[in-house]
Amino acid sequence: RKTKVKALEKAEATSEPEAVTLDPVQAEKAQVVKAMATADHFLGLLNFNKAADLLEEKLAEISRESSPHKGSDLHVEVLRKYAGILWWDGDLEGTLDAFTAADEVLGDRPEDPDVQQRRTEIWGQLAQVYRSAGLLDQADERLTAAVTLMLKLAISAEESAQSPLESEQPKVSSGTAEMLREMLASLAQICVQKKDFGRAEQLYLAAFAPVLDSSFSASSSSPENQAESAETLQE
C-alpha cells in the first residue's frame, strides 16, 4: 500500500500543470502589452525603426472593427507610445498624426474630467511637436486650448469641492496645479519666441504666482479678456 501511495505522489509531482487559456480579449491585450515592452527595449537600443514597426503592426490589429480594444485606453496608450517613438526618429508628420489619432479616440467618448484632462496632455504634446518644427502659431493654438481647458477643469474641481462645513479645504489637487503651471510656462516660452513679450510676462506671472487665478485668460494679456469676478484656485 505504501508503495502505491508513493507511486501516486511521484506521478502528481512529475505531472505538468495545466496550461492557462486566456480568453481572446485578454490574449490580444497581453500580446499588445508585450509588444510595447519590446518596443521600449528597441527604443533603448536606439533602434527606432524596429520599435515603430512593432507598434504599427499592433495598431493595425487594434484598429480593426472586430478588435475589442478599438477605441479603448489600450488603443490610446499604444498610439501615444507610437507617436513618441516617431518623434525620437524625427518623423514629425507621423508624430502629429499619431497624437491626433489618440486625441480623436478620446474625443469620441462622453466628456468627463478624466477624459478632458487626458486630452489636454495630448494637446500639450502636440504643441511641443509643433514648436520643435518651428510652427509657433500652431503650438500656441494647441497649448492655449490645453491651458483654457485645464483652467475650466480646475474651477470645476474647486466648485465641486466646496463645502459649507469645510470652506478651507484644498480646492485643486497639487498634480493638476503643477501640470497647469508647466503648461503656462511653456506657453510663455512660445510667446517669447513669437516676440509677444507682454503676453509672455502675464503667463510667467500666472505660472509662478503663489496661487492660480481662475480669472486668468491664456489667450490674451488684455484686461478686457479677464473675468469680472476672480476666484482663487489653491494648490
Side-chain angles (χ1 to χ4, degrees):
R1 186 173 181 179
K2 289 183 178 180
T3 304
K4 185 176 181 180
V5 170
K6 289 182 178 180
L8 288 173
E9 290 176 348
K10 185 176 180 180
E12 291 176 356
T14 56
S15 62
E16 296 183 0
E18 295 183 4
V20 178
T21 304
L22 296 176
D23 65 83
V25 175
Q26 292 299 320
E28 182 178 356
K29 181 177 181 179
Q31 291 176 359
V32 174
V33 171
K34 181 179 179 181
M36 288 194 291
T38 305
D40 283 335
H41 171 72
F42 285 126
L43 188 60
L45 298 175
L46 302 182
N47 192 338
F48 305 122
N49 289 333
K50 197 77 172 179
D53 289 345
L54 188 59
L55 292 189
E56 188 173 346
E57 178 183 340
K58 292 304 174 184
L59 280 172
E61 296 175 4
I62 295 176
S63 299
R64 294 172 184 164
E65 291 296 332
S66 59
S67 173
H69 298 292
K70 180 179 173 64
S72 67
D73 287 347
L74 182 65
H75 194 178
V76 175
E77 184 180 355
V78 178
L79 281 167
R80 293 182 68 174
K81 183 176 286 291
Y82 179 60
I85 292 173
L86 293 180
W87 193 9
W88 273 99
D89 197 29
D91 184 355
L92 296 182
E93 183 177 355
T95 302
L96 292 171
D97 288 343
F99 276 134
T100 300
D103 181 48
E104 289 174 350
V105 171
L106 292 175
D108 288 337
R109 300 182 184 181
E111 289 189 359
D112 65 54
D114 178 64
V115 170
Q116 289 179 313
Q117 180 158 332
R118 291 172 68 187
R119 292 192 73 187
T120 64
E121 294 171 4
I122 294 176
W123 295 349
Q125 291 173 313
L126 282 167
Q128 291 180 32
V129 179
Y130 280 125
R131 184 183 176 190
S132 68
L135 302 173
L136 299 181
D137 288 338
Q138 290 90 330
D140 186 341
E141 180 181 355
R142 281 292 186 174
L143 204 50
T144 295
V147 169
T148 301
L149 183 53
M150 282 292 290
L151 282 167
K152 178 182 175 182
L153 293 173
I155 294 169
S156 178
E158 177 193 29
E159 292 174 346
S160 63
Q162 285 179 345
S163 167
L165 299 177
E166 299 183 49
S167 59
E168 298 300 323
Q169 64 182 343
K171 303 298 194 301
V172 180
S173 70
S174 58
T176 299
E178 184 61 28
M179 185 183 300
L180 181 52
R181 291 182 188 279
E182 290 177 1
M183 286 185 174
L184 285 166
S186 296
L187 185 54
Q189 293 170 2
I190 292 172
C191 290
V192 169
Q193 288 182 269
K194 294 175 64 176
K195 302 188 184 305
D196 188 350
F197 300 115
R199 183 173 168 222
E201 181 181 9
Q202 292 295 323
L203 288 163
Y204 275 128
L205 289 173
F208 297 106
V211 293
L212 292 171
D213 186 359
S214 64
S215 70
F216 179 77
S217 171
S219 60
S220 174
S221 60
S222 171
E224 288 76 15
N225 290 329
Q226 302 296 323
E228 292 182 3
S229 61
E231 296 178 32
T232 302
L233 304 179
Q234 304 293 338
E235 279 190 273

